[in-house]
């Protein structure tokens, strides 16, 4: 009685390797985008601790952090700042494009706000 061997053929193994390589490639392109977003969130959270800041002071603090962390997606002009009566709200809304191949890209839309004054609900894109 002849018994056939089980297992994967070389082509199946090659297809799995190509699929795994594509997934790793996309993950390596996306991780820096989320890393930058988390750094922006931390920066905004640190800024709104002092609720008595003016718009100019908030933007200068953000710019100082931008110099150190080198944000590519946002600048101090992109911040939405609302300060009234000793209360401060800071928000950001931006899109990031990640090119994958020649005509294929991923688009990420990020929004974040911090502070005691809501900022993003009144702003329309």
């Amino acid at each position: 009685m002849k018994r056939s061997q089980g297992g994967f053929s070389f082509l199946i193994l090659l297809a799995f390797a190509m699929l795994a390589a594509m997934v790793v490639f996309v993950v390596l392109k996306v991780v820096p985008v989320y890393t930058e977003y988390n750094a922006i969130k931390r920066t905004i959270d640190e800024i709104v601790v002092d609720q008595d800041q003016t718009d100019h002071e908030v933007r200068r603090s953000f710019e100082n952090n931008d110099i150190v962390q080198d944000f590519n997606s946002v600048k101090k002009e992109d911040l939405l700042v609302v300060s009234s009566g000793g209360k401060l709200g800071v928000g950001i809304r931006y899109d990031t494009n990640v090119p994958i191949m020649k005509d294929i890209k991923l688009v990420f839309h990020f929004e974040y706000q911090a502070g005691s004054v809501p900022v993003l609900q009144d702003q329309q894109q």
Side-chain angles (χ1 to χ4, degrees):
M1 177 188 265
K2 188 174 184 181
R3 192 172 149 212
S4 66
Q5 292 183 341
F8 294 115
S9 70
F10 179 71
L11 291 177
I12 298 295
L13 213 58
L14 189 60
F16 280 133
M18 287 178 58
L19 182 64
M22 287 179 15
V23 168
V24 167
F25 176 74
V26 170
V27 166
L28 289 176
K29 290 279 202 164
V30 169
V31 165
V33 172
Y34 279 100
T35 303
E36 182 182 49
Y37 173 65
N38 286 325
I40 292 169
K41 281 177 38 176
R42 277 192 312 273
T43 300
I44 291 173
D45 287 337
E46 291 170 4
I47 290 172
V48 298
V49 170
D50 182 10
Q51 292 284 307
D52 293 326
Q53 294 185 70
T54 64
D55 182 274
H56 178 70
E57 292 169 337
V58 168
R59 292 181 193 281
R60 188 177 55 215
S61 286
F62 188 82
E63 183 179 33
N64 290 340
N65 278 299
D66 182 15
I67 290 170
V68 173
Q69 298 183 15
D70 192 28
F71 300 138
N72 295 321
S73 302
V74 295
K75 298 296 174 208
K76 67 179 181 177
E77 295 82 18
D78 298 328
L79 288 179
L80 304 168
V81 180
V82 176
S83 60
S84 63
K87 293 185 177 188
L88 177 68
V90 179
I92 190 81
R93 178 182 288 142
Y94 68 97
D95 293 329
T96 301
N97 298 323
V98 177
I100 299 297
M101 292 179 8
K102 182 178 178 184
D103 293 327
I104 300 173
K105 66 180 176 181
L106 298 175
V107 179
F108 295 91
H109 178 75
F110 294 109
E111 291 184 359
Y112 184 71
Q113 68 179 5
S116 56
V117 178
V119 178
L120 295 179
Q121 68 188 18
D122 298 332
Q123 302 288 328
Q124 293 297 322
Q125 192 164 339

